[in-house]
Amino acid sequence: MLIDQLTELDPAVQNVLPPGTQLISIKNHGHSLWSFTFKVETIGPGCKPANYFLKYCLGFRGKLMVEGEFEGTKAIYAVSPDFCPRPIAAGKLSDPRFEDTYFYICEFVEMTGETPPFDSWTFCSKVVNLHKNGKSPTGMYGFHITTCNGWVPQLNNWEESWTTFFRKGFIHVFDMDRANCLHPRPDGMDDHLDVFLNVVIPRLLLPLETGGNNIQPSLVHGDLWFGNTATTAEGPIIFDGAVFYAHSEYELGNWRPSWNINAHFRDCEVHFPKSQPEEEFDDRNRLYSMRFNLHASILFPDKPQHRQRVAEDMAYLVNKYGKEKVNYP
């Protein structure tokens, strides 16, 4: 595609850089399934080299992606400026050849190629710091703009109750997955849904915020797996977030699969004890992991194993909690 061969900056991108910035080169950099990514080398004011990471995304879906990434990264950077690249801007290209193309640009950070498992303690302390100090400006769960997991838009409408927020968000991605399904759905998955939504979810999440227990909305990266982490000379960083304010344990739902970064569980627990009731942590983690598997199922509809995991976890939780009485409005 033409956009993959650009050798000059669009005026809309040039305008968000410091005045007097001179372009040296634009080179393809990294790999993304949903966007075109570049390293931009420039000479900035005072003849100082300045490098940037530039991402182009297409269409309305691309608009949601770059706007959400910019606002989400801004929120992370405000709390932990040493834990993510400095965001600069997001916007729409002005070149008429790219009528429906959007950009995100941030500071370029040199990565060593290693991922945070090589420094698990530091990585987990930074994650926990983000959760502890990233406080919701409204005191509620959600975010002020749509953010995306991959290209999947998340339902971020503000809610006072984590139970309500998570349940609505789960319905949102479940319905998207059903509409996007390319294979027969696993047996019982749709049949279990009513009990799962109206009994299992409130049974596992209401105890976090009732009966003397209390949780607070925490800023989460929202898609924290090894592909969205890296190590620099200064330490681990994170990027490509699906950011919103959530129960902090939600972050760990994406760490459950054996191929991911679940080895960090223990280090995170040292910094940030499990929520009460502690004995239900693993079942909450299973519940949160289901949403991440739904995201993966939507993004990769030709791989039915993600949906199969959701079906298996749903059957497990319905069997364990489905017959309990729950007073949920």
Side-chain angles (χ1 to χ4, degrees), residues 248-284:
S248 59
E249 285 180 4
Y250 173 81
E251 193 90 274
L252 306 182
N254 209 25
W255 298 14
R256 189 176 185 89
S258 58
W259 49 266
N260 213 327
I261 47 181
N262 58 358
H264 295 319
F265 268 22
R266 185 179 64 180
D267 285 344
C268 265
E269 290 170 19
V270 171
H271 293 286
F272 205 137
K274 299 171 183 175
S275 299
Q276 297 296 329
E278 183 176 339
E279 64 274 13
E280 294 177 1
F281 169 84
D282 188 66
D283 286 337
R284 292 194 300 269

Side-chain angles (χ1 to χ4, degrees), residues 161-231:
S161 165
W162 169 241
T163 305
T164 300
F165 179 86
F166 182 84
R167 182 179 178 276
K168 288 183 176 180
F170 190 93
I171 293 171
H172 171 71
V173 293
F174 190 92
D175 287 347
M176 286 186 66
D177 179 62
R178 180 158 46 193
N180 208 43
C181 186
L182 297 180
H183 299 274
R185 293 173 69 74
D187 291 342
M189 187 171 178
D190 294 301
D191 295 338
H192 287 149
L193 184 61
D194 183 68
V195 172
F196 182 79
L197 293 176
N198 298 307
V199 178
V200 174
I201 289 180
R203 167 58 187 83
L204 281 173
L205 301 188
L206 280 175
L208 293 168
E209 45 194 1
T210 59
N213 293 329
N214 182 45
I215 57 173
Q216 297 296 322
S218 298
L219 187 66
V220 297
H221 175 278
D223 188 21
L224 200 54
W225 66 292
F226 63 81
N228 289 341
T229 65
T231 298

Side-chain angles (χ1 to χ4, degrees), residues 2 14 21 25 61 69 71 139 151 184 192 228 237 242 283 314:
L2 177 61
Q14 184 75 50
T21 296
S25 68
R61 197 181 271 177
E69 183 170 1
E71 292 295 330
W151 60 258
H192 287 149
N228 289 341
I237 63 166
D283 286 337
M314 182 181 289

Side-chain angles (χ1 to χ4, degrees), residues 120-134:
S120 178
W121 183 266
T122 299
F123 176 71
C124 288
S125 67
K126 286 179 176 289
V127 172
V128 169
N129 177 73
L130 178 67
H131 293 170
K132 283 184 175 180
N133 296 312

Side-chain angles (χ1 to χ4, degrees), residues 147-167:
T147 55
C148 297
N149 186 302
W151 60 258
V152 176
Q154 302 185 125
L155 185 66
N156 285 344
N157 298 341
W158 295 109
E159 297 286 352
E160 293 185 357
S161 165
W162 169 241
T163 305
T164 300
F165 179 86
F166 182 84
R167 182 179 178 276

Side-chain angles (χ1 to χ4, degrees), residues 4-16:
D4 203 30
Q5 303 171 13
L6 292 180
T7 58
E8 58 186 27
L9 285 181
D10 186 270
V13 179
Q14 184 75 50
N15 288 341
V16 302

Side-chain angles (χ1 to χ4, degrees), residues 1-7 25-32 35-41 52-54 56 108:
M1 294 183 68
L2 177 61
I3 196 170
D4 203 30
Q5 303 171 13
L6 292 180
T7 58
S25 68
I26 301 178
K27 301 175 183 177
N28 295 101
H29 182 83
H31 173 71
S32 172
S35 59
F36 303 92
T37 53
F38 304 88
K39 179 180 180 180
V40 178
E41 298 178 323
Y52 303 95
F53 177 78
L54 176 63
Y56 290 147
F108 186 88

